[in-house]
Amino acid sequence: ERSSMMVGIPHKKVDYIQTDAAINPGNSGGPLIDVESGKVVGINAAIRAHMEGTSFAIPINRVRDIMHDLSEGKEIHHGYLGLGLATCTPDWARQNNANSNNNSGKIPEVYGAIVFKVYPKTPAEQGGLKENDIILMIGSQKVRSADDARKLIDLAPVGENVPITIMRNGNTKVLSVKPVDLSSRLKEIRREKQRQQQAERQRFQELGPFRSLLQ
């Protein structure tokens, strides 16, 4: 499997099967079939322009998880916390710690997802997550990479408190964070941008005859 980040479409909240099956424009949505068993293993979804002969399909297990909700007209929710994450491994931490120019403190030599960004006014900030925290567990599931964390956040129940086990300054602690729905968050961001654009247009209107001097 390949994460959406690896495929190059990080805004898509699903993992993909990489295959050498030929997919042409217009084939998306068709089944990917195992020629030996005759079973549908995925739904064809994407190709990469610079990777000729390589295509990607959504795993059938993921499709099964949501198809009944979709057929009933329900929305598919994706958990959102507002974090920038990178994979932390013991080797990477040792290499980073050996760098004499590193002034951010020692990074624990563990597997997990290190937080490099906490976006303002998000569940992550409200829940107390900070930069350089290392996420070890989300709920009862272990986290060994940034991809693990993204998958678990995506599947986390929206609007419910989720325990997140982190390591901070060498100490382990558990935070309670309440994910919001990604689509709601994106709508909120768009509304904020529209408000800012409207305020900017209003400011220029108020300048009246002096507007041309600023162009």
Side-chain angles (χ1 to χ4, degrees):
E1 287 192 0
R2 298 287 184 268
S3 69
S4 58
M5 188 75 68
M6 295 170 66
V7 174
I9 42 178
H11 60 288
K12 300 295 185 182
K13 296 298 178 179
V14 67
D15 289 339
Y16 294 88
I17 300 171
Q18 181 175 320
T19 173
D20 59 1
I23 297 179
N24 299 309
N27 291 155
S28 294
L32 177 67
I33 298 174
D34 181 348
V35 294
E36 293 184 357
S37 66
K39 293 181 178 179
V40 175
V41 296
I43 301 297
N44 297 321
I47 59 175
R48 291 295 300 274
H50 65 284
M51 296 173 65
E52 188 174 349
T54 302
S55 55
F56 301 92
I58 300 171
I60 197 63
N61 289 341
R62 179 58 175 149
V63 176
R64 285 197 191 102
D65 290 341
I66 63 175
M67 66 180 184
H68 295 299
D69 286 342
L70 289 174
S71 67
E72 294 173 4
K74 296 179 181 178
E75 291 187 11
I76 305 302
H77 296 291
H78 299 278
Y80 171 82
L81 294 184
L83 292 170
L85 299 170
T87 296
C88 178
T89 67
D91 287 342
W92 176 81
R94 278 193 291 271
Q95 184 177 7
N96 189 284
N97 292 334
N99 184 353
S100 59
N101 296 323
N102 178 31
N103 297 317
S104 59
K106 293 286 186 181
I107 296 174
E109 297 175 8
V110 296
Y111 286 99
I114 187 168
V115 177
F116 65 81
K117 178 73 174 179
V118 178
Y119 293 94
K121 300 178 182 179
T122 63
E125 183 184 58
Q126 294 164 2
L129 282 156
K130 297 181 179 180
E131 291 182 11
N132 296 320
D133 284 349
I134 296 180
I135 297 176
L136 304 176
M137 295 181 69
I138 296 178
S140 61
Q141 301 294 313
K142 288 185 178 180
V143 171
R144 291 177 61 86
S145 68
D147 279 341
D148 286 350
R150 292 188 190 100
K151 291 175 189 175
L152 293 170
I153 292 169
D154 181 59
L155 297 172
V158 171
E160 297 183 18
N161 287 317
V162 175
I164 297 182
T165 305
I166 65 166
M167 183 171 284
R168 180 185 296 168
N169 300 325
N171 299 314
T172 301
K173 63 187 305 184
V174 179
L175 303 176
S176 182
V177 184
K178 188 181 292 185
V180 297
D181 182 41
L182 176 63
S183 62
S184 300
R185 176 64 178 173
L186 293 176
K187 290 175 184 176
E188 194 177 303
I189 292 172
R190 283 195 291 268
R191 285 195 295 267
E192 180 60 28
K193 285 184 178 179
Q194 289 172 352
R195 282 195 293 267
Q196 291 175 355
Q197 291 171 352
Q198 187 174 0
E200 190 69 13
R201 285 194 295 268
Q202 182 66 29
R203 187 174 70 85
F204 272 89
Q205 288 173 359
E206 290 173 353
L207 288 173
F210 301 102
R211 227 178 347 183
S212 60
L213 299 177
L214 299 176
Q215 296 177 349

